[in-house]
Amino acid sequence: MSTSLATYISLPGTTAEAFEHWHEVFGGELNLLRYGDTPMEGLPFEPDPQAVAHVTLSLPGGELAGGDVMDDQDYPVRDTAYSLLYTVDNPEQARELMGQLVAAGGSENMPFEQAPWGDWYGQAFDRFGVMWAFSSAAAGNAG
């Protein structure tokens, strides 16, 4: 196994739906494991068998991983303190991906346009409250 870094996100019972949605938007390879599919002996809690124990979405350039929150705490998901930054080859692709998240119940946080540093950049919250930032290197007339 080689060294790698993945983003891990815990969602309040919506992990399966979120990762399936992201798989539809971004493609990649989705692997989802529910607690009911695993031996549950020895766990320090009693999970719902339908809750997500672990999920990965492998995309070109990286991996997202996650699972359902297993306690009764109310953890905020929607925030601007973090975002998932997805850098793609061209502005059109980024604009399309961002548009798919917005069209599926998300909202635009920052329009996708040429940034002061010359590249293209924009932000959208998906319907799960996760902020996605999109970037692409400057290209000819992409606007």
Side-chain angles (χ1 to χ4, degrees), residues 7-11 15 19 33 52-57 64-68:
T7 300
Y8 189 95
I9 187 165
S10 296
L11 296 169
T15 301
F19 273 78
L33 179 68
V52 175
H54 186 69
V55 61
T56 59
L57 178 59
L64 294 176
D68 281 324

Side-chain angles (χ1 to χ4, degrees), residues 33-40 43 45 47-53 70:
L33 179 68
R34 296 182 187 275
Y35 280 100
D37 300 330
T38 67
M40 293 197 281
L43 293 176
F45 53 90
D48 176 339
Q50 290 302 307
V52 175
M70 286 290 105

